């Protein structure tokens, strides 16, 4: 009955999750990426305001020299009737001395605020990218395995590296450009209307068109750069996958084939960039034409106003100069918006990662490792991988503390899944798993995993020394403890013969070592951890007979007085288990000791017969 009901329940759960995901995407999709970034960086708001104020003051003093030039012209032309003379300084030389002093102050302040804003923005960009990368990585570590199974390593690397770097580049330069252009428009526009209100509108004619065009370009560029980020993610994924599988590529002489696939992904990335570049490149020439129109109109009509005496020659010279300072920086908006849109596309991808809900939450019941007895119980446990039929059906299993049980069965029967459920790498859908009578979903997740030592057939060694890999997870271990663990795992002798002994670099994924050597280092790692529960998941499946015998000797020593779960295809390695469970299609079909199962002459007996080569003989 359960076999037919479970898929229906699971489908309902999947539909519910997908609906929630869609609604979540709708919520985040309606929020601008800059707003999402600003909400994330609440702790940086003070530094952002300080940097923005420094940028604005730098631009204010940067715009002052043209005013000083106009004032100097005014002194030359009007002499005792100049603007400075109105303050009681009639001597012309003294007026120039005052101008010189003001010029020095202005240039010094401009330089000071340039130093301040550059330091603030650059430090801010470094701090945000550092914190964002760590937050994104730490969030990734909390996500369930299913998330990683549905995504490529290269794609995730693209988010953690390239996307965050795009954001850093924008904060390092683009943010300041936007603030300074805005400050330029505000300061000069205000000055124009104060000094020459009758002709100020001539310079301001292009402004609405430029601003409106910028917003339009931004809207058009947004989906193009979103596609660019997606294409570079696919390209990074391809490259990462191929570098990991370089041995397979070489052994199947597939270099040309993989070169073609990388070229296709790179070509797609190039095309998506070309589409964005085609649009963004048109922005600057259009802005230049609008700037030219505004400047030309003011050049003619402003000049006539000066001749007719409506404005002074000094004022006209200032206005004609700062009109260029107002309009020409707008031509850089194309590059700034290009950088901005790339950063916003990357921001969305990083924030989407941070917004991914954590399915496996840490429990709140602490269980110190010294208090763990190791009694494990599965109670009517049911589990299915996403979009699949249940792989475990109402399974119950009781493992007494300190005992060794073995689980055997055909590939895909669900053996390794039980290990993942016990470690809470996935959450069960129905039922309960307890450790010492406590529901593992209520146990502190760190305490749960700390008390379990996993030795898997898929050994992963990190790029580093042999000693570092043995001490992984027990980072405070001494050299003596590391060597003792290696001796128990029967790894000390081969490690001693390595070029640098325990300081030998094993290479990425331990590629400089043989499979058996990697396996023994993994066992030494578990021994050093000294957990009350040991899980052996096909720990000897990929080694030769001699290595298997060595590993088996070390396993017999480390499983004493520990709760041990051994998953194996080779029945000879688990014949001494206290109880052996035979698993098929997510259920236990029989159980007992090795001798009891042979006497039944059913599934286990047939497996033993095949592996031992016994034909038509009494099982012994």
């Amino acid at each position: 009955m359960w076999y037919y009901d479970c898929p229906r329940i699971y489908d309902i759960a999947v539909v519910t999750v997908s609906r929630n995901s869609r609604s979540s995407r709708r919520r985040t999709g309606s929020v601008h990426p800059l707003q999402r970034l600003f909400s994330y960086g609440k702790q940086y708001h003070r530094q952002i305001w300080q940097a923005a104020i420094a940028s604005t003051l730098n631009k204010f003093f940067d715009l002052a020299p043209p005013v000083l030039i106009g004032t100097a012209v005014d002194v030359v032309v009007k002499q005792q009737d100049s603007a400075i003379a109105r303050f009681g300084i009639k001597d012309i030389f003294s007026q120039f001395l005052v101008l010189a002093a003001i010029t020095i102050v202005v240039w010094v302040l401009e330089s000071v605020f340039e130093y301040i804003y550059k330091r603030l923005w650059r430090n801010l960009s470094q701090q945000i990218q550092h914190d964002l990368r760590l937050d994104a990585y730490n969030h990734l570590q909390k996500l369930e395995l299913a998330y990683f199974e549905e995504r490529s390593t290269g794609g995730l690397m693209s988010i953690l590296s390239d996307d965050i770097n795009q954001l850093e580049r924008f904060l390092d330069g683009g943010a300041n450009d936007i603030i300074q252009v805005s400050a330029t428009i505000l300061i000069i526009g205000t000055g124009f209307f104060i000094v020459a209100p009758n002709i100020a509108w001539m310079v301001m004619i292009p402004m609405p068109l430029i601003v409106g065009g910028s917003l339009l370009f931004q809207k058009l560029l947004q989906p193009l750069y979103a596609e660019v980020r997606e294409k570079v993610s696919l390209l990074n994924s391809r490259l990462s996958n191929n570098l990991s599988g370089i041995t397979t590529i070489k052994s199947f002489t597939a270099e040309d084939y993989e070169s073609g696939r990388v070229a296709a992904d790179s070509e797609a990335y190039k095309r998506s960039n070309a589409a964005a570049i085609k649009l963004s490149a048109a922005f600057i020439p259009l802005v230049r034409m609008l700037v030219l129109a505004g400047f030309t109109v003011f050049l003619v009509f402003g000049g006539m106003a000066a001749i007719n005496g409506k404005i002074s020659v000094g004022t006209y010279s200032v206005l004609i100069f700062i009109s260029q300072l107002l309009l020409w920086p707008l031509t850089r908006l194309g590059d700034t918006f290009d950088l901005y849109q790339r950063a916003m596309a990357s921001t969305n991808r990083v924030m989407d990662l941070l917004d991914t809900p954590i399915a496996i939450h840490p429990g709140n019941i602490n269980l110190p490792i010294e208090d763990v007895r190791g009694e494990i119980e599965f109670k009517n446990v049911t589990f299915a991988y996403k979009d699949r039929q249940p792989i475990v059906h109402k399974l119950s299993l009781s493992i007494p503390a300190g005992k060794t049980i073995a689980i055997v069965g055909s590939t895909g029967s669900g053996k390794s899944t039980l290990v993942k459920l016990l470690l809470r790498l996935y959450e069960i859908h129905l039922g309960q798993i307890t450790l010492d009578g406590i529901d593992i979903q209520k146990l502190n997740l760190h305490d749960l995993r700390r008390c379990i030592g996993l030795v898997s057939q898929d050994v992963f060694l990190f790029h580093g020394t042999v000693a570092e890999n043995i001490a992984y997870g027990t980072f405070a271990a001494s050299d003596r403890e590391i060597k003792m663990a290696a001796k128990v795992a029967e790894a000390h002798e081969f490690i001693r013969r390595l070029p640098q002994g325990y300081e030998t670099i094993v290479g990425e994924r331990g590629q400089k070592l043989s499979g058996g050597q990697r396996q023994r280092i993994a066992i030494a790692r578990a021994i050093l951890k000294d957990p009350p529960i040991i899980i052996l998941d096909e720990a000897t499946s990929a080694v030769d007979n001699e290595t298997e015998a060595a590993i088996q000797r070390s396993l017999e020593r480390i499983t004493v007085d520990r709760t041990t779960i051994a998953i194996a295809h080779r029945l000879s390695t688990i014949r001494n288990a206290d109880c052996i469970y035979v698993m098929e299609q997510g259920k236990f079909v029989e159980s007992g000791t090795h001798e009891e199962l042979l006497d039944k002459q059913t599934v286990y007996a047939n497996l033993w017969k095949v592996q031992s080569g016994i034909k038509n003989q009494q099982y012994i």
Side-chain angles (χ1 to χ4, degrees):
M1 183 67 175
W2 167 252
Y3 183 81
Y4 296 100
D5 290 346
C6 183
R8 216 164 37 240
I9 294 173
Y10 179 68
D11 289 342
I12 292 171
V14 170
V15 169
T16 303
V17 170
S18 64
R19 284 175 180 168
N20 291 338
S21 300
R22 286 196 297 271
S23 63
S24 174
R25 284 195 297 270
R26 284 196 295 271
R27 287 195 300 270
T28 57
S30 62
V31 180
H32 194 276
L34 193 60
Q35 184 178 344
R36 298 176 75 182
L37 179 62
F38 205 66
S39 297
Y40 164 80
K42 289 180 180 178
Q43 68 269 35
Y44 312 113
H45 286 185
R46 182 178 178 182
Q47 295 98 305
I48 291 172
W49 280 113
Q50 289 174 342
I53 291 170
S55 294
T56 303
L57 290 174
N58 168 260
K59 180 51 63 176
F60 175 80
F61 289 109
D62 180 52
L63 295 173
V67 178
L68 297 175
I69 292 172
T71 305
V73 172
D74 193 49
V75 170
V76 171
V77 174
K78 295 184 176 181
Q79 299 184 9
Q80 282 82 8
D81 295 326
S82 68
I84 294 180
R86 296 172 191 168
F87 292 94
I89 305 172
K90 297 297 183 178
D91 181 66
I92 296 175
F93 183 71
S94 297
Q95 292 183 40
F96 279 114
L97 287 179
V98 170
L99 276 176
I102 295 174
T103 300
I104 292 171
V105 172
V106 166
W107 279 66
V108 168
L109 288 175
E110 179 193 356
S111 299
V112 167
F113 283 112
E114 182 175 4
Y115 169 77
I116 292 173
Y117 88 68
K118 283 186 175 180
R119 183 172 179 180
L120 285 172
W121 279 120
R122 289 179 179 179
N123 284 337
L124 186 65
S125 67
Q126 291 300 313
Q127 187 62 48
I128 289 179
Q129 65 92 16
H130 170 75
D131 292 345
L132 195 57
R133 183 174 287 115
L134 284 182
D135 287 345
Y137 175 74
N138 289 333
H139 188 80
L140 266 178
Q141 289 193 126
K142 296 175 183 176
L143 298 177
E144 69 280 9
L145 278 185
Y147 180 86
F148 298 91
E149 291 170 353
E150 294 169 4
R151 290 159 182 83
S152 68
T153 302
L156 295 176
M157 279 297 300
S158 179
I159 294 174
L160 292 176
S161 179
D162 195 40
D163 284 323
I164 291 177
N165 288 343
Q166 286 285 355
L167 180 58
E168 177 200 355
R169 284 191 283 272
F170 169 70
L171 291 173
D172 198 16
N176 173 71
D177 288 344
I178 290 175
I179 290 172
Q180 291 208 330
V181 167
S182 302
T184 300
I185 294 171
L186 181 63
I187 294 170
I188 294 180
T190 302
F192 258 90
F193 279 103
I194 291 174
V195 176
N198 294 329
I199 58 175
W201 61 271
M202 298 177 187
V203 177
M204 306 306 290
I205 285 176
M207 298 304 298
L209 297 174
I210 292 173
V211 173
S214 299
L215 295 175
L216 176 61
F217 265 80
Q218 176 187 339
K219 187 175 181 180
L220 295 174
L221 281 170
Q222 186 172 352
L224 295 178
Y225 280 122
E227 184 180 354
V228 168
R229 303 314 314 149
E230 185 65 28
K231 296 300 184 185
V232 75
S233 175
L234 293 174
L235 177 59
N236 286 340
S237 176
R238 176 77 66 196
L239 292 170
S240 174
N241 193 54
N242 283 11
L243 291 175
S244 299
I246 193 67
T247 301
T248 303
I249 292 173
K250 288 179 175 295
S251 64
F252 283 88
T253 61
E255 290 91 343
D256 292 341
Y257 173 74
E258 291 300 340
S259 269
R261 295 214 292 178
V262 170
D265 286 340
S266 185
E267 179 66 26
Y269 173 52
K270 185 181 75 172
R271 284 198 304 268
S272 62
N273 253 318
I277 291 169
K278 181 179 179 181
L279 184 60
S280 65
F283 182 78
I284 293 178
L286 292 175
V287 170
R288 282 181 178 273
M289 295 302 102
L290 293 172
V291 168
L292 176 63
F295 179 74
T296 305
V297 169
F298 180 77
L299 180 69
V300 174
F301 289 97
M304 294 302 298
I307 290 173
N308 294 330
K310 294 180 180 179
I311 58 174
S312 68
V313 175
T315 300
Y316 175 66
S317 63
V318 171
L319 295 181
I320 198 71
F321 193 85
I322 64 175
S323 66
Q324 296 184 63
L325 295 179
L326 171 65
L327 297 174
W328 288 113
L330 298 177
T331 61
R332 297 202 310 269
L333 278 180
D335 293 334
T336 302
F337 274 120
D338 186 85
L339 190 61
Y340 170 78
Q341 281 302 335
R342 288 177 182 268
M344 291 305 100
S346 293
T347 296
N348 265 333
R349 283 162 51 84
V350 177
M351 292 302 159
D352 285 345
L353 169 57
L354 287 172
D355 289 341
T356 303
I358 297 172
I360 298 179
H361 296 280
N364 53 16
I365 298 179
N366 295 324
L367 185 62
I369 191 169
E370 60 271 13
D371 295 339
V372 176
R373 301 191 312 275
E375 181 182 340
I376 300 169
E377 188 167 3
F378 288 72
K379 301 177 181 178
N380 293 318
V381 171
T382 296
F383 171 78
Y385 292 104
K386 185 177 179 181
D387 300 328
R388 298 185 188 178
Q389 295 293 326
I391 193 167
V392 176
H393 314 272
K394 285 190 176 180
L395 183 141
S396 294
L397 170 64
S398 181
I399 307 173
K403 298 296 183 180
T404 296
I405 69 109
I407 302 174
V408 301
S410 58
T411 301
S413 60
K415 305 184 300 299
S416 295
T417 298
L418 296 182
V419 174
K420 296 175 183 177
L421 296 178
L422 180 58
L423 284 164
R424 286 191 68 202
L425 301 176
Y426 295 92
E427 293 286 40
I428 60 175
H429 298 147
L430 291 174
Q432 187 184 51
I433 303 175
T434 64
L435 172 60
D436 291 346
I438 305 172
D439 189 334
I440 63 170
Q441 292 186 345
K442 297 178 181 179
L443 271 177
N444 179 289
L445 192 58
H446 180 270
D447 287 352
L448 171 67
R449 293 175 179 169
R450 177 66 186 86
C451 72
I452 299 174
L454 173 64
V455 181
S456 173
Q457 61 176 329
D458 184 20
V459 176
F460 189 96
L461 299 185
F462 294 89
H463 183 73
T465 67
V466 171
E468 288 171 344
N469 273 281
I470 293 176
Y472 192 82
T474 315
F475 303 106
S478 65
D479 290 343
R480 179 178 175 277
E481 291 171 328
I482 291 171
K483 289 180 180 178
M484 287 297 296
K487 288 177 181 178
V488 175
E490 299 206 12
H492 177 71
E493 290 303 318
F494 89 78
I495 294 174
R496 198 167 52 83
R497 291 193 296 270
L498 293 174
Q500 284 82 41
Y502 283 84
E503 296 305 310
T504 301
I505 300 295
V506 302
E508 190 173 1
R509 300 182 67 90
Q511 60 187 354
K512 293 184 178 181
L513 303 178
S514 69
Q517 290 173 333
R518 291 196 297 268
Q519 197 75 55
R520 278 184 268 186
I521 288 177
I523 293 171
R525 180 191 291 170
I527 293 169
L528 189 60
K529 186 178 181 181
D530 193 25
I533 301 169
I534 286 282
I535 298 176
L536 309 172
D537 188 4
E538 305 284 4
T540 61
S541 64
V543 297
D544 55 57
N545 292 333
E546 183 180 349
T547 304
E548 179 187 355
I551 291 174
Q552 199 62 40
R553 287 194 300 270
S554 62
L555 292 179
E556 288 173 1
R557 289 194 291 271
I558 68 172
T559 56
V560 175
D561 296 326
R562 300 179 199 268
T563 302
T564 305
I565 302 174
I567 295 172
H569 278 301
R570 295 186 183 181
L571 304 185
S572 58
T573 62
I574 48 91
R575 62 184 299 173
N576 295 323
D578 295 307
C579 188
I580 300 171
Y581 293 85
V582 181
M583 194 171 186
E584 293 295 336
Q585 297 183 351
K587 297 180 180 179
F588 292 136
V589 295
E590 60 180 350
S591 63
T593 64
H594 174 73
E595 290 75 15
E596 290 170 349
L597 291 174
L598 288 184
D599 289 340
K600 291 181 180 179
Q601 298 189 19
T602 51
V603 179
Y604 182 86
N606 288 333
L607 289 173
W608 179 261
K609 177 181 177 180
V610 170
Q611 291 190 17
S612 60
I614 299 174
K615 295 183 180 180
N616 300 320
Q617 295 182 23
Q618 181 67 33
Y619 303 118
I620 57 172

